[in-house]
Amino acid sequence: MSDWLVLVLAMLGACAVVVVITLVRHKRAPEDEDPSETPDVIEYMTMWIGVVYAIVLGLAIAGVWEARSAAQDHVQAEAQALHEISERVRVYPPAVRDRIREDVDAYVGQVVTTEWRAMTRHGRVTERGGDMLARVRHDITDYQPANDFEAQAYQPLLDQVAAADQARTARADSTGATMPAVVWFGLLFGALITIGMVFALQIRRTRRELVLAGLFSATIAFMLFLIWDFDAPYSRGIAASAEPFLALFPGVRG
């Protein structure tokens, strides 16, 4: 099911629940009930709960968006480090240079195809990807520079391998969900309380109040969807992409 279809159904469902409950409550309300006599304390509590929940939603959205941005930065850093390796080995003999570049290209191909699918479907990287990056490291560390010019490129190449390995580890650590289950419980429970306080205000069955109540609940559903969509940086609709690899290694296509 498409993420956008899930969003539309969630928003429509939230609106429908609020409207149905309002109509049923109005139908079963006593004839002498006066909706205008809502106690001031209930209005104050409704406002206070709404403000607090809005702050919590804002912090949650900011947190998952920051995690998504960090995930994309990890991809960019890894791709850039591998690109630097491919460029810097030009000072090495043709046989060594070509072998390193072939292993780098093979690793990039593994990342943008097999490993990226494993990240989106299973939330993890592959062991083969780690083995292929280790092969690149061994290609560089096992070669003994033949002159000072090659020796000057040796340490920077090792630094770039370390940077790629560090970025890969960070990418692996950010493949899963970033929001703890207890936070999700608080968000969902808070949504129920916030929407439930609408009924405490004894809204009438007028078209304007029904529309506002429905839009209010749909907005909360939309915010929760955004948090859910950003929560897995590599798996859902607005996710980090492998575009940095494809841009720096145009010969390797996903």
Side-chain angles (χ1 to χ4, degrees):
M1 183 181 295
S2 172
D3 289 347
W4 293 109
L5 179 58
V6 173
L7 171 60
V8 172
L9 293 177
M11 295 178 67
L12 291 177
C15 290
V17 169
V18 171
V19 171
V20 169
I21 293 178
T22 301
L23 294 176
V24 172
R25 183 180 180 278
H26 181 83
K27 185 177 181 180
R28 296 184 176 181
E31 294 182 0
D32 58 347
E33 182 181 26
D34 186 2
S36 63
E37 295 183 353
T38 302
D40 293 339
V41 66
I42 294 182
E43 295 182 358
Y44 173 77
M45 291 178 60
T46 302
M47 179 185 66
W48 183 82
I49 291 174
V51 171
V52 171
Y53 189 65
I55 294 174
V56 172
L57 279 178
L59 292 175
I61 292 176
V64 293
W65 176 256
E66 182 179 358
R68 187 265 179 198
S69 299
Q72 189 65 54
D73 291 341
H74 299 329
V75 176
Q76 180 65 47
E78 185 178 3
Q80 186 63 45
L82 293 169
H83 177 69
E84 289 295 324
I85 293 173
S86 294
E87 292 299 321
R88 290 173 184 266
V89 294
R90 63 183 300 175
V91 303
Y92 281 10
V96 178
R97 177 191 63 206
D98 293 343
R99 184 176 71 251
I100 294 176
R101 286 179 173 175
E102 288 175 0
D103 287 343
V104 169
D105 290 343
Y107 171 72
V108 172
Q110 169 74 10
V111 169
V112 300
T113 55
T114 304
E115 187 158 277
W116 208 267
R117 285 195 297 269
M119 290 165 55
T120 56
R121 297 175 183 176
H122 308 294
R124 58 178 176 80
V125 297
T126 62
E127 293 184 4
R128 177 169 173 77
D131 294 339
M132 296 178 75
L133 183 59
R135 185 186 305 168
V136 175
R137 182 191 296 273
H138 295 160
D139 290 340
I140 296 174
T141 57
D142 292 348
Y143 176 72
Q144 183 175 357
N147 51 54
D148 292 340
F149 188 47
E150 294 180 1
Q152 291 176 1
Y154 181 76
Q155 186 59 47
L157 282 171
L158 292 181
D159 293 340
Q160 293 300 325
V161 172
D165 191 21
Q166 183 178 8
R168 173 184 170 81
T169 301
R171 174 165 59 86
D173 292 339
S174 60
T175 53
T178 57
M179 297 286 288
V182 65
V183 176
W184 272 114
F185 174 80
L187 290 174
L188 296 175
F189 188 66
L192 293 176
I193 294 179
T194 304
I195 296 176
M197 291 301 295
V198 173
F199 304 110
L201 293 177
Q202 304 181 38
I203 61 177
R204 299 181 180 89
R205 194 180 57 178
T206 62
R207 179 178 300 179
R208 181 178 61 181
E209 291 184 344
L210 286 177
V211 170
L212 290 177
L215 291 177
F216 177 72
S217 60
T219 301
I220 292 180
F222 176 72
M223 294 298 180
L224 291 176
F225 172 82
L226 282 183
I227 297 172
W228 173 81
D229 197 55
F230 291 151
D231 191 28
Y234 298 103
S235 304
R236 296 179 184 138
I238 308 176
S241 69
E243 187 59 32
F245 286 106
L246 301 177
L248 293 175
F249 297 89
V252 179
R253 307 307 300 177

